[in-house]
Amino acid sequence: PAVAPLLSVKNIEVVYDDVILVLRGLSLDVPKGAIVALLGANGAGKSTTLKAISGLLKTEDGEVTRGEILFDGERIDGTDPDKIVRRGIFQVMEGRRIVSDMTSLENLRLGAFTRSDRNVAADIDMVYDYFPRLKERTGLAGYLSGGEQQMLAIGRALMARPKMILMDEPSMGLSPLLVKEVFSIIKQINRDLGVTILLVEQNARAALSVASHGYIMEQGKVVLDGTADELRDNEDVKEFYLGGA
Ligand code: ATP
């Protein structure tokens, strides 16, 4: 029998500024404990999908006008972003969005803002175990390299002890070597902590190397989905998303 997914996006439509229809009946499921990849070209609507889930759409005058989003069996569409974080969904934004005039440590503490427990210090040590470089770099986060900023953004998400992390293009701006390193840590975090991950990527190869399942979006809807292996073997995916390899 099929287990209910942790996150279920059902046939949503999203409109910006009351008129611009960007998602046109998008559906996807993310099983508990899984890494699922959401792939597609520039402008397909991947970031919009994540913002619809995290509630951040509102801050850009976007709205879910049809369909529903369920997390742990409960409707979350229309919920404010801070309440979504408290329910256990944390988004790592595209372009990192760390606070550049604070240190790494201060950024990590910010990630724990919704927590009232006393284990914050232990979790900072856990983040430093995953990303030892962050501990060495004690200066302002704005001076970190692109890869280090990405690591800090992921570390900050972990500080919220989320059930689910939404990641928007973690490979962006990173060298191939760093992409490998960051994705291998993403996989490790998923295994060690059981955090469910929805991963938006233009780098389909990297995303499918860690995901169990993937969805391909075009113009606001899913056009193809399958296991990572099925997608890697699909001729269209090879031609359009894996560089014809
Ligand atoms: P990218 O990789 O470039 O981020 P994407 O697949 O994530 O692409 P979105 O950023 O979700 O795509 O954008 C989908 C469409 O929605 C694009 O046509 C974009 O111009 C439009 N769009 C995005 N944000 C807004 C906004 N705040 N107001 C109006 N239109 C928007």
Side-chain angles (χ1 to χ4, degrees):
V3 181
L6 181 62
L7 176 79
S8 190
V9 176
K10 297 187 174 189
N11 207 20
I12 59 167
E13 194 174 86
V14 164
V15 173
Y16 282 113
D17 302 322
D18 294 323
V19 289
I20 311 165
L21 179 63
V22 171
L23 299 188
R24 313 154 186 266
L26 176 115
S27 299
L28 60 85
D29 284 340
V30 183
K32 193 171 182 181
I35 302 182
V36 168
L38 181 58
L39 310 172
N42 235 313
K46 304 180 299 297
S47 300
T48 299
T49 304
L50 293 192
K51 287 177 200 155
I53 299 164
S54 64
L56 291 170
L57 205 56
K58 286 183 175 179
T59 63
E60 294 186 30
D61 274 319
E63 200 188 346
V64 178
T65 50
R66 223 185 66 194
E68 46 188 57
I69 303 175
L70 298 167
F71 183 69
D72 241 342
E74 287 177 46
R75 286 284 289 269
I76 56 163
D77 44 290
T79 306
D80 288 333
D82 61 312
K83 293 211 176 83
I84 302 234
V85 171
R86 279 168 220 277
R87 280 188 180 223
I89 302 180
F90 202 102
Q91 179 167 356
V92 178
M93 306 277 282
E94 190 177 14
R96 283 74 87 172
R97 309 276 179 97
I98 51 152
V99 185
S100 51
D101 58 1
M102 285 185 169
T103 65
S104 302
L105 184 59
E106 287 166 335
N107 270 278
L108 292 178
R109 290 210 177 104
L110 271 187
F113 78 99
T114 54
R115 294 172 48 174
S116 51
D117 63 274
R118 290 161 196 276
N119 298 324
V120 171
D123 282 0
I124 286 175
D125 287 340
M126 170 192 74
V127 170
Y128 285 155
D129 282 342
Y130 284 114
F131 304 110
R133 241 176 291 174
L134 293 181
K135 192 173 185 174
E136 293 156 19
R137 305 294 219 118
T138 52
L140 296 181
Y143 295 110
L144 297 174
S145 72
E148 290 161 350
Q149 290 188 16
Q150 184 61 60
M151 292 171 189
L152 181 56
I154 296 171
R156 188 175 58 179
L158 291 181
M159 291 303 299
R161 283 271 172 184
K163 294 186 180 127
M164 177 163 197
I165 300 181
L166 311 174
M167 288 194 190
D168 202 347
E169 305 228 12
S171 78
M172 197 172 61
L174 304 188
S175 69
L177 202 68
L178 265 175
V179 170
K180 257 199 161 155
E181 187 179 333
V182 167
F183 275 68
S184 127
I185 296 170
I186 290 172
K187 183 95 196 176
Q188 235 173 293
I189 286 168
N190 164 260
R191 278 197 193 135
D192 298 349
L193 308 175
V195 189
T196 305
I197 297 174
L198 178 58
L199 184 62
V200 155
E201 262 301 336
Q202 288 202 46
N203 186 336
R205 195 180 297 279
L208 292 176
S209 75
V210 296
S212 58
H213 204 95
Y215 289 85
I216 299 200
M217 273 185 87
E218 277 173 25
Q219 296 181 26
K221 352 173 146 160
V222 169
V223 292
L224 187 67
D225 78 284
T227 65
D229 288 336
E230 283 165 357
L231 292 177
R232 261 195 302 257
D233 290 341
N234 178 287
E235 292 304 324
D236 290 336
V237 175
K238 279 190 203 166
E239 181 173 352
F240 296 110
Y241 298 101
L242 298 172

